[in-house]
Amino acid sequence: ALVDRGLVVEVEPDLFSFRHALTREAVAQRLLGRQRRRLHEKAYAALLEMGSDDWGALAYHAAGAHLWEELIDAARRGADINLRTGSTYEALRLAELGLTEAEADPELLVLATRSAWACGLTEAALSYATQLVALAEAAGDDGALSRALRAVSREMGGG
């Protein structure tokens, strides 16, 4: 029915896409929670089966399917790759998505700090770096504390 109305288009054989994001959101909101989770599970499984490296899509569907460990893994991998390839805003988006489920994850905090700094979002970078300092202090990890303090120093203009 959505295809007949022009709201969904077949972009390749058996591959469909919503014509507009607002339409996709409206349809998703009409689904029951369990239906939405199952669709995300299927989409996540299909992406894995295809060998997709679309970390944003993998993280999005893992979150929608409530696959928290998979979300965190996709967020870490995607943020790292995007940061290294210059997609700093996407790296920050993925790091922040991962932090919604793992707020004290040192790797995600490092990625969020570096991404925010690269985007020119110094307040956010300083906030993430400060969280890294607190984690390192609590763990008694001198190496991590040194790295976190260097990140804070850089964010405060100390080079």
Side-chain angles (χ1 to χ4, degrees):
L2 293 173
V3 172
D4 291 341
R5 292 183 180 146
L7 299 172
V8 172
V9 294
E10 189 171 17
V11 292
E12 293 178 22
D14 296 324
L15 180 63
F16 296 87
S17 178
F18 284 93
R19 188 175 297 275
H20 300 285
L22 290 175
T23 305
R24 181 185 68 234
E25 292 301 317
V27 170
Q29 292 306 314
R30 296 197 56 175
L31 297 173
L32 297 173
R34 66 180 172 272
Q35 292 173 313
R36 203 171 16 259
R37 270 193 311 281
R38 296 246 179 350
L39 286 174
H40 281 292
E41 287 170 0
K42 288 180 181 183
Y44 181 78
L47 288 167
L48 288 179
E49 188 177 308
M50 292 179 355
S52 176
D53 62 355
D54 183 343
W55 301 107
L58 286 162
Y60 172 77
H61 290 298
H66 297 183
L67 300 171
W68 308 123
E69 291 302 317
E70 291 83 350
L71 159 65
I72 293 164
D73 180 58
R76 283 183 190 135
R77 294 174 74 180
D80 182 54
I81 290 168
N82 281 294
L83 186 59
R84 284 189 281 120
T85 58
S87 298
T88 54
Y89 284 99
E90 179 64 7
L92 180 59
R93 187 186 74 77
L94 283 169
E96 288 178 335
L97 179 60
L99 287 167
T100 63
E101 288 304 317
E103 63 187 26
D105 184 281
E107 186 177 349
L108 285 170
L109 284 168
V110 166
L111 290 164
T113 300
R114 291 176 51 213
S115 299
W117 182 73
C119 291
L121 302 171
T122 54
E123 283 186 37
L126 182 57
S127 174
Y128 292 126
T130 302
Q131 291 175 56
L132 275 170
V133 169
L135 280 177
E137 285 176 336
D141 184 339
D142 291 338
L145 180 58
S146 174
R147 289 186 296 278
L149 288 171
R150 281 196 312 272
V152 169
S153 174
R154 179 180 61 216
E155 301 316 320
M156 292 178 66

